[in-house]
Amino acid sequence: MNEHLAEEQKKKFLSGFISGILLMALLFGAIYIGKQIYVLYLYKQASVSTESKQEAVTGIDTNRKMQIIENTIDQYYLDEVEPEKLQDGIYYGMVEALDDPYSTYYSAEDLVKMQQETQGIYYGIGAYVGMDKDTGLCTISGVIEETPAQEAGLRTGDVIYKVDGVSTQGMETTDVVALIKGEENTTVHLTIARENENDFLELDVVRRKIENPTVNYEMKENGIAYIQITEFDEVTTDQFTEALAVCKGSDMKGLILDLRSNPGGNLNVVCEIARKLLPKGMIVYTEDKYGQREEYTCDGTNQITVPMVVLVNGYSASASEILSGAIKDYGIGTLMGTKTFGKGIVQRIIPLSDGSALKLTVSKYYTPNGKNIHGVGIEPDEVVEFDAEAYYDKGIDNQLDAAVEFLKEKIE
């Protein structure tokens, strides 16, 4: 009996011992497998992290190379260079690599100057500078009356070949403008190429404070109002509102809206002006890279009720194309002149924490009928080529005269 009991206890002991070993094995196996899974997870995360670092522009290798370049400049470059200038050069270069003439980096100083310009006040010569898309050269796209540019004899279409002896070939518009602007009462020397001139023109222009009148207006014969908008700045809405009110008060029977050589400007400003002319509906809509759409609409309470002609040319761009495109789509006015520039993209100023900023192309815009005119432009309803010889030699604006005659017939 005792032997049988001892045998049973022995069997239970062995069974428990074996079960314990199996449980320990299973436990260690689970720990081992879990550990391996965790190691694999860490490896995968490390791989993803490494790939991210390899894809990132400001990775370890990039920083090392920038340091090498900085040291090499410091050791070999002839002149002294301020570290801040090299830093800004990095930021300018990153945005320039986008190969987008409308995107740029603004240093804190650049940003202040740009904000002054959009307010309608700056120190310069009183000329608008645009890019000729066929030649890639900067040209005078407009001249403000009673400014140094007009006094020096600059004309729309003049090609800016050099500024103070520095060639402008390959420069962006913003770079050329920066060379032309400067301190008040200083002089800038321009080397100009002009059509039908055998040699370059050398002009000295004195910089002055330019308070930019963005809207000019007058009443012409037969109750025809003429309103010119030179660009869409913060001051433009009030100036246009006043001009339109005066013209309406003078028994306006027809309207010539002159957007020739208008390079564009503020999207919200052009929409405010459009709301004083268009019927109820879409003014323009934009779409970003994610397909997100933003719409700008008009309630139609101020729709123009008289015949209208909109004058445009190859320097009418961006915001001026938004307005002229909407007028054409709704059929409430006749576009006259030559094909517009074709800038159907929108830029946004993105401030940075150190006072600098980025201006980036963020979306495309579409006219009410869903047309994106980027790189295409808007064809006028009535093509009238500009007679520069008649304008500069005799003071005759043949496009404006054609608009007046067109409206005379409409009014009668």
Side-chain angles (χ1 to χ4, degrees), residues 300-358:
T301 56
N302 300 307
Q303 179 179 348
I304 190 166
T305 56
V306 299
M308 177 169 55
V309 170
V310 182
L311 291 175
V312 293
N313 64 9
Y315 299 107
S316 304
S318 192
S320 61
E321 291 175 292
I322 288 176
L323 184 55
S324 57
I327 290 170
K328 182 172 183 176
D329 279 6
Y330 283 113
I332 62 169
T334 300
L335 267 62
M336 186 177 290
T338 54
K339 187 169 73 170
T340 64
F341 183 84
K343 181 176 180 286
I345 49 179
V346 179
Q347 286 69 46
R348 192 174 85 188
I349 304 294
I350 304 170
L352 304 179
S353 59
D354 63 351
S356 62
L358 295 177

Side-chain angles (χ1 to χ4, degrees), residues 252-322:
M252 177 178 72
K253 293 182 173 64
L255 172 63
I256 298 172
L257 183 62
D258 192 349
L259 300 179
R260 290 177 296 177
S261 301
N262 182 321
N266 190 299
L267 175 60
N268 290 319
V269 170
V270 72
C271 288
E272 284 299 316
I273 290 173
R275 292 185 180 106
K276 301 180 186 303
L277 299 170
L278 296 182
K280 183 177 181 179
M282 187 76 67
I283 299 171
V284 66
Y285 67 90
T286 64
E287 285 188 0
D288 64 15
K289 66 192 291 186
Y290 306 105
Q292 294 179 338
R293 176 166 164 162
E294 186 169 0
E295 299 181 348
Y296 300 81
T297 59
C298 176
D299 61 14
T301 56
N302 300 307
Q303 179 179 348
I304 190 166
T305 56
V306 299
M308 177 169 55
V309 170
V310 182
L311 291 175
V312 293
N313 64 9
Y315 299 107
S316 304
S318 192
S320 61
E321 291 175 292
I322 288 176

